[in-house]
Amino acid sequence: MSVILLAGGPGTRLHPFTHTTPKPLLDLGDVPILGMQLALCARHGLTDVVLNIHHLAARVPEILGDGARWGVQLRYSVEETPLGTAGPVALASGLLDEGPHVVFNGDILTDTDLTALLDAHRRSGAAVTLTCTEVKDPTAFGLVLAGDSGRVSRFLEKPTQDEARVLVDRFWINAGTYVLEDAIVRRIPHGRPYSFERELFPALLAEGVALHRFASDAYWRDCGTPASWRQAVRDMLEGRLAPPAHWRREERDGHVVWTGGRVTWGEGARVDGGPVFLGDGVVIGADVRLGRHVVLGPDVAIGASSRLTGVMLGRHARVGEGTRLQGLLGGDACEIAADCVVQTEALLASGTVLARGTRIA
Ligand code: GTP
């Protein structure tokens, strides 16, 4: 059995961050989204993983290597041209073990029970099992309708609230994690873009092939937009799913501080609201105040007397003295000079420099 992870999309909704980093490698604190998925696979004994990559493909092996750090063995399948969600599976078919296979969208944070998913797949005898998660608002997702036995009866892509309400009172959406039998993998056309959601699954359903819905109440979040990426990290800080194994939880000034390694605190620096996350090598200057949901990646340095709330900054970012930052989302290696004031949910691409005294409000 192999796991196939889809990690080649352009991630346009996460511009500007995905100009330099493929979406599935964006950090959740100090762990790439894919790192959380690989650790989940390893916890369920699924260690043979094939990664399908295209956009910024060279960056992926640089960061994930052979997967040993996550307890899996990684192999890469590189697409010359993007093949959508199902096309990459056909391209990688020569690398796969014997089925059934687990396919995962690479931009999802979840602790779904993969063992239970595979058990449900075997019990139902279906050719495909789709993990589904319940949402209140299905309008941005693919709704999966099924009978009491779990057999899928209909797909509805991005329905309006009214369309959905007429059909069902609970909204189970496609959560982007599937189990596929070998016969299904063999049906995917080679060498051209092909979609699970829009092409393969509706075609199988029309032919009467058995598709099963695995309704999961586990934590699930699609990290595909700046807001949902930010929320995924906040969910980790709030303990909505198990944190990475190396994170440590401390209390400071009465607030929860998660750390990914060694943090240096200047004199008089305080945490005014938690939880926060501070990566390995973070340096907090004297008299700094950190507020709720501050997330600083590894090796970030914050200058003396700065005030930060709801700010997320990537690795190696530098912040000067006396800044006031609220809600900012910055990529790796941003430089924010002294006395800057940012009071919006501004998005700063990796490497952005804000000159001394810049105001964004
Ligand atoms: P947007 O451009 O913002 O929609 O993001 P995206 O390009 O990642 O597309 P989407 O969110 O629909 O993709 C879901 C998952 O499939 C993500 O993990 C993507 O990396 C992956 N994916 C999308 N298109 C391709 C592709 O052409 N090839 C591969 N290998 N993966 C893809």
Side-chain angles (χ1 to χ4, degrees), residues 30-319:
D30 62 352
V31 181
I33 299 168
L34 273 179
M36 294 295 284
Q37 294 192 344
L38 296 177
L40 174 71
C41 292
R43 286 204 295 281
H44 288 276
L46 301 171
T47 55
D48 176 30
V49 180
V50 177
L51 259 181
N52 291 271
I53 52 178
H54 167 68
H55 176 62
L56 301 173
R59 299 248 12 235
V60 187
E62 259 171 44
I63 294 174
L64 297 178
D66 63 2
R69 174 173 173 209
W70 314 104
V72 299
Q73 281 177 304
L74 268 184
R75 283 173 302 153
Y76 295 94
S77 172
V78 185
E79 292 151 58
E80 297 291 322
T81 55
L83 295 175
T85 49
V89 178
L91 180 71
S93 55
L95 297 176
L96 304 182
D97 220 345
E98 211 171 291
H101 307 291
V102 178
V103 180
F104 241 112
N105 281 2
D107 55 352
I108 286 164
L109 179 64
T110 182
D111 58 4
T112 198
D113 186 341
L114 297 176
T115 305
L117 166 66
L118 286 161
D119 286 348
H121 177 77
R122 287 192 195 99
R123 268 200 314 276
S124 73
V128 176
T129 301
L130 297 93
T131 307
C132 293
T133 191
E134 192 174 7
V135 294
K136 290 198 171 56
D137 177 4
T139 53
F141 300 103
L143 199 57
V144 181
L145 279 61
D148 290 342
S149 68
R151 185 157 174 162
V152 175
S153 55
R154 188 169 172 191
F155 294 106
L156 207 56
E157 271 303 306
K158 302 194 173 62
T160 63
Q161 279 278 2
D162 286 346
E163 278 171 335
R165 261 203 208 100
V166 169
L167 295 167
V168 276
D169 49 13
R170 295 180 69 181
F171 302 142
W172 292 96
I173 58 147
N174 177 353
T177 305
Y178 319 116
V179 184
L180 305 180
E181 289 295 324
D182 275 328
I184 301 299
V185 172
R186 283 196 294 272
R187 282 192 50 144
I188 302 172
H190 283 251
R192 70 173 174 89
Y194 198 64
S195 159
F196 280 124
E197 309 83 337
R198 287 188 300 280
E199 294 173 279
L200 182 64
F201 295 154
L204 293 173
L205 192 64
E207 285 173 30
V209 174
L211 308 179
H212 192 81
R213 181 174 79 180
F214 174 71
S216 167
D217 59 4
Y219 174 86
W220 182 89
R221 188 172 295 282
D222 170 341
C223 307
T225 64
S228 61
W229 175 29
R230 190 196 283 267
Q231 189 56 48
V233 184
R234 290 181 179 180
D235 290 344
M236 288 166 69
L237 302 188
E238 305 278 2
R240 297 202 181 103
L241 81 167
H246 70 283
W247 282 22
R248 295 285 165 262
R249 184 183 188 279
E250 300 166 13
E251 295 253 335
R252 203 176 167 97
D253 306 315
H255 298 287
V256 173
V257 176
W258 291 97
T259 58
R262 193 162 171 277
V263 173
T264 306
W265 293 88
E267 214 176 309
R270 284 183 59 85
V271 180
D272 281 347
V276 302
F277 171 81
L278 308 173
D280 186 38
V282 163
V283 177
I284 306 293
D287 297 318
V288 165
R289 297 283 180 273
L290 298 181
R292 190 156 185 246
H293 293 153
V294 166
V295 175
L296 304 179
D299 301 314
V300 169
I302 307 297
S305 305
S306 287
R307 304 269 180 278
L308 278 68
T309 305
V311 168
M312 193 156 123
L313 291 174
R315 294 160 189 264
H316 307 290
R318 291 274 172 279
V319 174

